[in-house]
Amino acid sequence: MDPLTPDEIARYKRHILLPEVGGAGQQKLKAARVLVIGAGGLGAPVLQYLAAAGIGTLGIADNDRVSLSNLQRQVIHDTGTIGELKTQSAADAIARLNPHVRTIRFEERFSIETAERLLAGFDLIVDGSDNFDTRYAAADAAELARLPLVTGAVGRFDGSLTTLKPYEASADGTLNPGYRDLFPTQPPEGLIPACSEAGIIGALTGVIGTLMAMEAIKVITGIGEPLIGRLLLYDGLAARFETIRYRRKRAKAAAE
């Protein structure tokens, strides 16, 4: 791994002071290549905190442009970037925040058709998309490529997130669960209203997106206990967190 420069040592001093991270952990962050799907409500805090943490390369996949209604929650963008591609607006903000971070822009939607090409060269995916087609495509592609995935979702006042490594075994020797063990099939179109229809409190995306960034940092540095086999739920109105454990079900179903 590349050594840290004097400027990087000064910038990441508070990380390096942590025994769990230290210089070696910061070098892992510098060497990491993370693809963030979506530069919207969840992607905004994910990109900001991963850039601030010193992730060496951040890929940004989004085909949308900044609109005025985005700014209530998509804090990586601002009034002056309305009309710009979100990938460009986010990349410019990251450059201002941390010039040590390299960004790669993909001005297209993540899908099953684009997955293999977009995932090439990355070692972790963070999915902050806002639709089920993309979430299932990201989960299926990450599992096939044997890449860890941090995925989250928000709606109105509630959010959730989990970390997936379904290609690895847990301590008891069974394979870790995947996204389809938690959510076997997509809900019918129109059953769950989008944020544009139901509304969303802006700060919620900051809560969940920041937790997603923390999960990514844990996976990269190897510290703590990522949310593998656990779904973290947040109720913003009640200020309550809950954790639901889930297991792999597909192997059992196949055996039956």
Side-chain angles (χ1 to χ4, degrees):
M1 291 184 290
D2 292 337
L4 301 173
T5 67
D7 181 79
E8 289 173 314
I9 292 172
R11 180 181 288 266
Y12 308 126
K13 182 178 179 181
R14 300 301 189 276
H15 276 179
I16 296 170
L17 285 172
L18 295 168
E20 296 85 350
V21 179
Q26 192 61 51
Q27 285 180 290
K28 290 179 181 178
L29 293 172
K30 181 178 180 177
R33 296 172 58 89
V34 179
L35 176 66
V36 179
I37 301 173
L42 292 174
V46 168
L47 287 165
Q48 287 175 313
Y49 272 100
L50 292 186
I55 298 297
T57 302
L58 283 172
I60 312 168
D62 198 310
N63 69 337
D64 200 6
R65 291 181 180 270
V66 181
S67 66
L68 182 59
S69 64
N70 296 152
L71 303 184
Q72 161 255 16
R73 63 200 178 282
Q74 300 180 20
V75 293
I76 201 167
H77 312 298
D78 58 54
T79 304
T81 66
I82 291 174
E84 285 187 13
L85 288 163
K86 287 184 180 179
T87 52
Q88 183 64 64
S89 173
D92 290 343
I94 289 168
R96 291 190 296 270
L97 176 62
N98 190 347
H100 298 286
V101 177
R102 176 192 178 210
T103 55
I104 303 174
R105 295 160 43 204
F106 300 102
E107 278 122 25
E108 56 189 301
R109 291 178 69 89
F110 188 97
S111 66
I112 289 295
E113 291 74 26
T114 64
E116 184 176 359
R117 175 170 50 82
L118 295 186
L119 294 183
F122 290 99
D123 43 52
L124 187 147
I125 303 103
V126 181
D127 179 19
S129 62
D130 62 357
N131 64 88
F132 289 104
D133 286 344
T134 304
R135 288 175 194 154
Y136 278 85
D140 290 344
E143 181 169 0
L144 183 63
R146 301 178 65 84
L147 293 174
L149 170 68
V150 178
T151 183
V154 289
R156 288 176 45 83
F157 300 96
D158 306 314
S160 64
L161 69 147
T162 191
T163 298
L164 300 163
K165 281 189 174 183
Y167 49 86
E168 289 185 356
S170 60
D172 63 4
T174 60
L175 282 175
N176 292 324
Y179 193 76
R180 290 181 182 272
D181 295 302
L182 183 59
F183 304 111
T185 58
Q186 295 190 46
E189 187 173 352
L191 178 65
I192 300 176
C195 292
S196 59
E197 301 168 322
I200 185 168
I201 195 75
L204 173 66
T205 61
V207 174
I208 301 301
T210 303
L211 288 168
M212 292 168 70
M214 184 65 193
E215 283 296 292
I217 290 170
K218 287 159 57 181
V219 171
I220 292 165
T221 58
I223 64 174
E225 184 182 352
L227 288 167
I228 296 172
R230 295 183 295 150
L231 179 69
L232 182 63
L233 303 172
Y234 173 64
D235 180 339
L237 290 180
R240 181 173 59 238
F241 285 96
E242 295 182 28
T243 304
I244 297 174
R245 292 190 176 272
Y246 61 99
R247 296 181 178 275
R248 194 171 185 96
K249 301 174 182 177
R250 286 168 292 169
K252 180 179 179 182
E256 295 173 350

